[in-house]
Amino acid sequence: MAILKVAHLGNPVLRKVAEPVPPESIGSPETQRFIDDLIETMMEYDGAGLAAPQVHVSRQIVSFQVEGNPRYPDAETVPLTVLINPKITPLSTAMEEDWEGCLSLPDLRGKVPRYTQIRIEALDRTGKALNYVARNFHARVAQHECDHLLGKVFLDRMRSMESLAFFPEFARYVAAPEE
Ligand code: NI
């Protein structure tokens, strides 16, 4: 396994629409190795999730996992998930704003509105069809990662740039505001 290099904003790969993965290629050693590397890279950098375009591969694969993540200490647990060719359908019009960060926009945090309840249809890393409902933080992470496959980053989804903050200032004034 290998730690992959993470693309930062300005790299055109982050703005491309990613290619679907042919289902028959999911089981190939090359694709399986790539998925292992994507997960390992996500864990190495304490990402809640990572999308293939963020490691310079314009294909529709994302991974996410949230469990005792130092970058998101208060977040609810989300099991390790790999989605291939995902499709997200909002199940209500309700959206909630909360803070997000992204390994491709290091040190930035901003408040992003996301649907609180979505249906996720995708293939898993064995090629099996997934179809389930995700809520709250799980839904947020999935929307953030799947946006990368559309060439979108969280800045594009913010209603206003007013909350945008560098991480040290976010930590000082938002996460643990002084008395
Ligand atoms: Ni991201």
Side-chain angles (χ1 to χ4, degrees):
M1 296 210 281
I3 308 291
L4 306 172
K5 202 170 167 222
V6 176
H8 291 161
L9 192 66
N11 190 315
V13 73
L14 293 173
R15 292 310 197 171
K16 288 209 311 211
V17 176
E19 294 291 327
V21 179
E24 63 276 12
S25 76
I26 292 172
S28 72
E30 184 241 331
T31 302
Q32 290 296 314
R33 195 177 323 115
F34 174 73
I35 292 169
D36 287 339
D37 292 348
L38 186 72
I39 293 169
E40 196 183 9
T41 304
M42 171 179 80
M43 290 175 170
E44 172 71 16
Y45 296 112
D46 294 321
L50 195 59
Q54 292 183 273
V55 291
H56 306 84
V57 174
S58 194
R59 294 164 78 192
Q60 292 184 19
I61 305 176
V62 305
S63 66
F64 49 81
Q65 177 182 37
V66 184
E67 212 187 318
N69 187 320
R71 289 177 77 236
Y72 297 92
D74 301 323
E76 62 202 74
T77 297
V78 181
L80 177 61
T81 303
V82 172
L83 302 179
I84 299 171
N85 304 341
K87 184 175 152 245
I88 283 181
T89 312
L91 292 180
S92 75
T93 53
M95 293 181 113
E96 208 168 74
E97 275 205 330
D98 209 346
W99 294 93
E100 293 188 15
C102 180
L103 295 178
S104 294
L105 286 74
D107 289 337
L108 284 176
R109 288 286 186 284
K111 278 185 117 171
V112 187
R114 297 289 186 188
Y115 294 106
T116 54
Q117 203 177 140
I118 58 173
R119 177 168 297 283
I120 297 176
E121 291 165 84
L123 300 175
D124 72 7
R125 68 174 298 170
T126 69
K128 194 180 98 198
L130 301 173
N131 184 339
Y132 67 101
V133 175
R135 292 180 182 83
N136 305 320
F137 195 68
H138 189 157
R140 173 172 298 278
V141 172
Q143 286 168 88
H144 176 118
E145 296 314 324
C146 292
D147 262 358
H148 281 299
L149 306 181
L150 305 171
K152 298 285 183 198
V153 298
F154 77 80
L155 299 179
D156 305 324
R157 303 300 191 195
M158 290 173 69
R159 288 192 180 113
S160 148
M161 289 294 140
E162 282 181 35
S163 65
L164 196 64
F166 290 107
F167 185 73
E169 283 70 21
F170 167 83
R172 180 172 173 188
Y173 296 108
V174 180
E178 288 167 40
E179 304 270 311

